[in-house]
Amino acid sequence: MENRELLQAMFEEATLGILVVNSDGEIQNANPFSEKLFGYDKGELKGQKVEMLLPKAFRTAHVQYRKKLPKSL
């Protein structure tokens, strides 16, 4: 199994939620466990802001914290 296939299998079969989010806070990918955890169907999280998964009381503050993060690591 090649590295890419191995990483994809680990992402798909992980027993914890994994979200891939870009620097603008948009969800680029979500593994099946995270979709189930948050109650969404396959692909529904893609393109949404990550803050939608937080309680409303924390969303604005989270956006401000996210904006302070470096654009690349």
Side-chain angles (χ1 to χ4, degrees), residues 19-29 48-50 66:
L19 297 173
V20 178
V21 180
N22 69 15
S23 60
D24 293 323
E26 295 173 355
I27 299 171
Q28 301 297 295
N29 208 346
Q48 301 294 324
K49 293 286 188 178
V50 69
R66 182 174 43 77

Side-chain angles (χ1 to χ4, degrees), residues 11 16-19 29-40 45:
F11 181 80
L16 64 135
I18 302 171
L19 297 173
N29 208 346
N31 72 335
F33 191 92
S34 64
E35 292 169 329
K36 183 178 179 182
L37 178 69
F38 291 113
Y40 290 88
L45 290 172

Side-chain angles (χ1 to χ4, degrees), residues 1-11:
M1 183 179 284
E2 293 183 30
N3 286 343
R4 185 177 180 94
E5 292 171 333
L6 178 61
L7 288 173
Q8 185 65 32
M10 290 170 55
F11 181 80

Side-chain angles (χ1 to χ4, degrees), residues 46-63:
K46 192 170 186 175
Q48 301 294 324
K49 293 286 188 178
V50 69
E51 285 81 21
M52 71 176 280
L53 301 173
L54 300 176
K56 287 183 183 182
F58 298 106
R59 291 178 186 175
T60 301
H62 189 269
V63 170

